[in-house]
Amino acid sequence: MTSPYDLVVLGGGPGGYRAAELAGKAGMRVALVEKDRLGGMCLNRGCIPTKSYYARLLRGRGSVEHLWEEKEAVVSKLREGLATLLRMSGVEVFEGIGSILETGELKTLEVVDASGTKRLLRGRTLLLATGSRSLSLDIEGADLPGVLPGDRAVADPDLWKSPEHRRVTSVALIGAGVIAVELAELLRSLGKDVTILKHSEELLRRADRDIKKKLVQHFKKRGIRMVDSFCPQRITLEDGALRVQGTSREAPEEVRCDRLILASSMVPVLDGFGLERTRIARTPQGSIAVDEHMQTTEPGVYAVGDVTGGMMLAHLAEYQALVAVEHLRGNRVAIPPESVPWCVFADPEIAAVGFSEQEAEKRGISVVVGRAFFLGNGMALAMGETEGFVKVVAGKDGTLLGVHMMGAESSCMIAEAALALRQGMHVRDVAYTVHPHPTLSECFKDALFRALEELRNL
């Protein structure tokens, strides 16, 4: 019998492939099982495709006419690079559906490939990275043609490929989170009539209130319609168009559209891989429960990424993989949740890390706030990108608690703030770090100095 692997990874998305790569480079014998395509949802139907659209539709880079083809080229190149990386790291990749058979001293996984051929893999350690899927609607008509889960909508040529996409003139999105906001921006830029059907009165529930307010204003200017407190009840197909019926603030509401995208939230993938044959505990929310090392309640079984719930972010999944593999090697790495940044690729970009002003208030933390606007930033003026601001939230002792940005290149600038929060830095220390001129980062610096002024006035 072939000797067991040191690590068997189930799932080839950001968390799974990163864990496999790191373990392979550390000298472990590693097997990775993926049922679809390497890179998971992020690479094939999420982060990368939408950023390819974003670069062309909102940033003016590349061809809008060849939007689909250029996206496919980007995804294909990255997928090929990932396969090479895993091969160079000594990782054996198996294509097929993996299912847990045993989780004793040796973990056993059955893999069934597309031809029906079965193979058994045995490993001393198992890492689950099965990801998430779009939450479905349990109402009449949810299975009609033209009703698309958020992740599948990203990879639908009828929405993005020329000339097919021109046949779709109107799109409605159920949801108000990152997926809904990004897709609304992109589809509006393609000339579609866009309606966002929100569960509440908010966009981006986790965002600071100043960003929410600015985003609503921006969407109104863009002609994106928003329906608050929408509760869907029924979907029908009439004369080739979808008719979405429901209520808004207890009053009847109806929207007609060519496509309806279910973009409300993602849920962990917990079925189809034998989880029921284990003693792995789940959280009250239903995701796989893990400790600070990403260990499940089953000895020798780890879980990373969206399947563990919480902030479902590709970059967090990668760092959770780092935590798990380092623990396997006898090392301890911690990822403080408050230091994990998140981004929204709207126009302008949105990025945040740490507490919002409202979160701090709910926790009973007294704060000071500093703001600076891109309208007063030299580089933003030179670029013609003056919309937005940076907001700094600090404790009364000067400790940086949160940073919130809405403006050009916010997704890049937030990394500095994430480092400062991770290190528990004082506002003064970050403000006194020299920021180059002329750059957009000076807007962050200015917000920090405004917060310092507020601290001195206490």
Side-chain angles (χ1 to χ4, degrees):
M1 182 181 291
T2 305
S3 60
Y5 291 93
D6 297 306
L7 175 65
V8 176
V9 178
L10 182 57
Y17 72 66
R18 182 63 170 159
E21 176 207 350
L22 291 171
K25 287 181 175 178
M28 300 181 199
R29 184 166 179 254
V30 182
L32 183 147
V33 180
E34 171 55 47
K35 68 178 181 180
D36 189 2
R37 292 181 291 181
L38 283 175
M41 182 173 62
C42 174
L43 174 52
N44 298 288
R45 305 186 309 279
C47 316
I48 301 302
T50 52
K51 300 318 158 292
S52 180
Y53 299 152
Y54 169 82
R56 287 150 183 79
L57 291 171
L58 298 175
R59 296 271 65 88
R61 299 167 184 160
S63 168
V64 174
E65 190 63 26
H66 297 99
L67 185 70
W68 178 265
E69 292 78 10
E70 292 186 7
K71 179 269 294 184
E72 288 286 279
V74 169
V75 170
S76 178
K77 185 174 183 178
L78 287 172
R79 199 161 50 228
E80 290 170 7
L82 178 55
T84 300
L85 175 65
L86 291 172
R87 185 171 61 252
M88 293 178 66
S89 302
V91 177
E92 294 182 63
V93 177
F94 296 90
E95 297 180 1
I97 297 174
S99 184
I100 302 169
L101 297 184
E102 293 180 52
T103 55
E105 184 175 348
L106 282 183
K107 326 304 175 193
T108 305
L109 210 67
E110 180 185 73
V111 181
V112 182
D113 66 19
S115 68
T117 302
K118 297 180 180 179
R119 180 194 299 265
L120 292 182
L121 302 179
R122 291 183 173 86
R124 297 180 180 88
T125 308
L126 173 64
L127 186 141
L128 304 175
T130 52
S132 62
R133 63 167 70 97
S134 293
L135 181 66
S136 59
L137 273 183
D138 187 19
I139 61 171
E140 179 186 345
D143 57 348
L144 284 170
V147 180
L148 304 170
D151 57 328
R152 296 295 172 182
V154 172
D156 184 358
D158 286 346
L159 285 176
W160 311 102
K161 189 176 181 179
S162 296
E164 291 92 331
H165 84 78
R166 296 188 181 93
R167 295 195 293 263
V168 177
T169 62
S170 59
V171 179
L173 301 106
I174 294 180
V178 175
I179 297 172
V181 167
E182 290 189 353
L183 290 181
E185 281 271 33
L186 294 170
L187 291 165
R188 185 65 185 136
S189 295
L190 270 179
K192 317 297 181 192
D193 291 328
V194 176
T195 301
I196 298 179
L197 305 171
K198 301 187 292 179
H199 297 305
S200 66
E201 297 184 3
E202 293 184 311
L203 281 174
L204 298 180
R205 177 179 53 83
R206 290 170 45 214
D208 186 88
R209 62 186 164 209
D210 290 343
I211 285 179
K212 293 177 188 176
K213 181 179 178 180
K214 187 71 175 176
L215 181 59
V216 168
Q217 293 172 351
H218 168 72
F219 272 9
K220 287 180 178 178
K221 287 180 183 177
R222 292 270 279 148
I224 296 173
R225 184 185 173 221
M226 291 166 282
V227 178
D228 292 341
S229 304
F230 182 78
C231 179
Q233 296 175 333
R234 184 178 179 227
I235 308 168
T236 55
L237 188 61
E238 299 179 9
D239 300 324
L242 294 169
R243 182 186 179 198
V244 187
Q245 295 171 288
T247 60
S248 174
R249 296 195 184 96
E250 300 183 358
E253 183 76 42
E254 179 178 302
V255 175
R256 291 178 180 269
C257 56
D258 296 325
R259 294 289 185 277
L260 175 66
I261 300 176
L262 309 181
S264 58
S265 60
M266 307 296 292
V267 293
V269 174
L270 299 166
D271 58 327
F273 61 93
L275 187 62
E276 68 279 1
R277 288 191 284 272
T278 74
R279 298 185 302 276
I280 294 173
R282 303 191 192 185
T283 68
Q285 292 74 35
S287 56
I288 291 179
V290 292
D291 64 14
E292 67 272 22
H293 308 299
M294 309 312 298
Q295 293 182 116
T296 70
T297 52
E298 194 83 77
V301 181
Y302 293 74
V304 302
D306 290 1
V307 75
T308 65
M311 299 173 71
M312 294 185 177
L313 302 168
H315 50 277
L316 178 56
E318 288 198 35
Y319 277 90
Q320 289 175 336
L322 172 65
V323 170
V325 174
E326 284 299 302
H327 187 255
L328 273 175
R329 300 178 64 191
N331 302 321
R332 180 183 177 89
V333 175
I335 306 295
E338 64 275 7
S339 70
V340 178
W342 55 273
C343 309
V344 185
F345 288 84
D347 185 20
E349 292 178 3
I350 296 167
V353 64
F355 293 155
S356 67
E357 188 178 358
Q358 299 73 58
E359 286 175 314
E361 290 171 352
K362 287 179 182 177
R363 293 169 181 258
I365 303 172
S366 297
V367 299
V368 297
V369 171
R371 296 180 182 84
F373 295 85
F374 284 104
L375 187 60
N377 178 272
M379 180 56 80
L381 284 163
M383 293 169 60
E385 300 268 7
T386 58
E387 187 176 1
F389 60 93
V390 177
K391 179 176 179 179
V392 168
V393 180
K396 292 292 183 70
D397 63 352
T399 302
L400 190 63
L401 297 178
V403 179
H404 310 270
M405 301 180 177
M406 186 176 189
E409 299 182 19
S410 291
S411 59
C412 293
M413 291 195 293
I414 201 65
E416 179 189 357
L419 173 61
L421 260 77
R422 179 177 173 83
Q423 298 301 318
M425 294 178 71
H426 192 285
V427 171
R428 179 185 57 255
D429 296 326
V430 190
Y432 283 17
T433 299
V434 178
H435 290 70
H437 174 79
T439 64
L440 297 171
S441 70
E442 291 176 287
C443 197
F444 178 32
K445 174 206 68 177
D446 292 342
L448 290 162
F449 275 108
R450 302 262 166 78
L452 269 181
E453 291 173 11
E454 294 297 320
L455 287 169
R456 288 167 183 154
N457 291 332
L458 290 177

